[in-house]
Amino acid sequence: MKVRLPIACALPVFILAGCANLFGSIADTGNEIRIREDGKPAANARQEKYPITLRVAGYTDARQVDSPRRAGISTSRVLGLAGKDIMLDRDVSEVVAESARKRLNDDGIQVLAAGDVTAAQFQLGGVVKELSIDVKDRDYVKIAIESTLTETASGKVIWSGVVVEKADRYAGVSGNTKRDVADYLRKELGIAMAKTSESIISVLMATRPDLFNIAAVAKPLQGVTVYSNVGAVSSVSPATSAAAEPMGVNGMLAVSSAPSRAKVYVDGVYFGLTPLRAEVGGGVHEVSVKLDGYQTASEKVSVRKGDSTELELKFRR
């Protein structure tokens, strides 16, 4: 009895440990997957921070889905999940913002915490156009995130672009657990946001070399389509693929709306939220503002080279 009792008592512990490996974690209850970034710096994180402060203002979920927490559909068995719906335990916009903070911080940018009221030099925000993981014969991940970096003091758009990431994998004969699904989606999202971070730093090095004490140029990155690259050596437009015009032929466009906090699109390209100040090429541009619950307001405006042009748009329901 002295020998058998400890074994009998230990048996439930081994069973629970096995269940933890299969279903993700004993503490990870519910029918949702949980995606969290490690608070520790990555192994390859830059040790010395650049003298740049940035605030992640947040991302808007623009996906055509029934819930801001929807991640995808499973037609294959996922241990720990019941039903076909793959849901997150919080909104997708929060997951994306956390991933952005993690990658920028690891790359040497001083990212302010969510509750930090310190004034930052730059602000990052954007739109989640696509983010999903579908478990079928393989695990399919699709990500498309549009980001915009603005200078806080002036509201000028420094960089704007979209990162598209698509990947798939074979889960193996044993299939998936919900931890597997969460880890795979976190990994691919991390790749997308790492590309965003690298592109942003490349542009900042080109536009503000004084912050880095180096001479550098913005470099193109695979999987990143740059919409706006103000002041950099070159910029690629998704429509024309032409080099950006020199700063001397640009003008300043100030857009406001009633109500405010509306999305601003210049010639179909997302620039940020109203009130907005941005440098654009001289000439005639189509400016549109969009806000949930209102009709889209649009107007053509002529931007003069080296001058400032103001535009106010009012919404109708």
Side-chain angles (χ1 to χ4, degrees):
M1 289 295 294
K2 291 182 180 180
V3 176
R4 292 178 182 176
L5 186 58
I7 295 175
C9 292
L11 200 54
V13 176
F14 287 115
I15 293 173
L16 289 173
C19 290
N21 291 329
L22 286 174
F23 293 98
S25 168
I26 296 175
D28 185 13
T29 60
N31 194 39
E32 300 171 330
I33 63 173
R34 184 177 186 271
I35 296 179
R36 295 290 187 275
E37 295 294 342
D38 189 346
K40 300 178 181 178
N44 60 344
R46 179 180 173 84
Q47 298 298 315
E48 185 178 352
K49 296 292 184 182
Y50 296 120
I52 299 172
T53 56
L54 179 146
R55 184 185 308 281
V56 178
Y59 283 80
T60 301
D61 186 0
R63 304 174 303 151
Q64 299 300 312
V65 292
D66 59 350
S67 170
R69 298 189 178 190
R70 177 169 292 282
I73 296 291
S74 172
T75 56
S76 296
R77 186 184 181 191
V78 177
L79 293 175
L81 290 179
K84 294 184 177 181
D85 294 331
I86 301 177
M87 309 293 288
L88 303 179
D89 67 335
R90 56 181 175 157
D91 291 357
V92 161
S93 56
E94 296 178 37
V95 174
V96 171
E98 184 180 73
S99 181
R101 292 187 190 96
K102 168 69 173 175
R103 271 73 207 180
L104 287 162
N105 190 65
D106 281 347
D107 286 344
I109 301 294
Q110 299 179 50
V111 181
L112 301 184
D116 194 334
V117 297
T118 305
Q121 294 167 286
F122 301 96
Q123 179 169 288
L124 180 70
V127 179
V128 182
K129 294 186 171 182
E130 188 172 19
L131 191 148
S132 65
I133 180 166
D134 294 320
V135 179
K136 302 177 181 178
D137 55 322
R138 301 175 66 84
D139 299 339
Y140 297 92
V141 170
K142 296 180 181 179
I143 297 171
I145 298 174
E146 185 176 302
S147 301
T148 300
L149 180 75
T150 57
E151 188 176 57
T152 304
S154 65
K156 179 174 68 175
V157 175
I158 304 298
W159 177 93
S160 180
V162 62
V163 176
V164 176
E165 188 73 20
K166 294 184 179 181
D168 63 86
R169 68 168 188 177
Y170 176 56
V173 178
S174 59
N176 281 312
T177 68
K178 67 177 183 178
R179 175 183 283 181
D180 296 332
V181 173
D183 287 346
Y184 186 45
L185 182 56
R186 179 174 58 244
K187 171 180 172 289
E188 295 302 325
L189 175 59
I191 292 173
M193 298 316 296
K195 289 180 179 179
T196 299
S197 176
E198 186 176 356
S199 186
I200 285 173
I201 291 175
S202 174
V203 168
L204 286 175
M205 285 181 173
T207 58
R208 295 291 305 274
D210 55 300
L211 295 177
F212 300 87
N213 196 28
I214 59 172
V217 297
K219 61 181 179 179
L221 295 174
Q222 184 177 3
V224 181
T225 300
V226 176
Y227 289 158
S228 178
N229 200 4
V230 177
V233 175
S234 65
S235 176
V236 179
S237 164
T240 63
S241 297
E245 293 181 290
M247 291 290 285
V249 299
N250 288 344
M252 182 66 70
L253 175 63
V255 183
S256 60
S257 67
S260 61
R261 302 296 294 172
K263 298 177 186 176
V264 179
Y265 294 83
V266 180
D267 298 328
V269 176
Y270 175 73
F271 265 62
L273 299 176
T274 57
L276 173 78
R277 287 176 58 84
E279 286 191 15
V280 298
V284 177
H285 298 274
E286 177 81 22
V287 180
S288 300
V289 290
K290 299 180 180 180
L291 186 65
D292 289 344
Y294 296 87
Q295 296 180 19
T296 298
S298 301
E299 189 173 323
K300 287 187 177 180
V301 62
S302 177
V303 177
R304 296 176 294 277
K305 300 174 183 179
D307 203 352
S308 180
T309 302
E310 296 185 359
L311 176 64
E312 181 180 7
L313 294 171
K314 295 183 179 180
F315 286 105
R316 295 180 180 178
R317 289 190 179 275

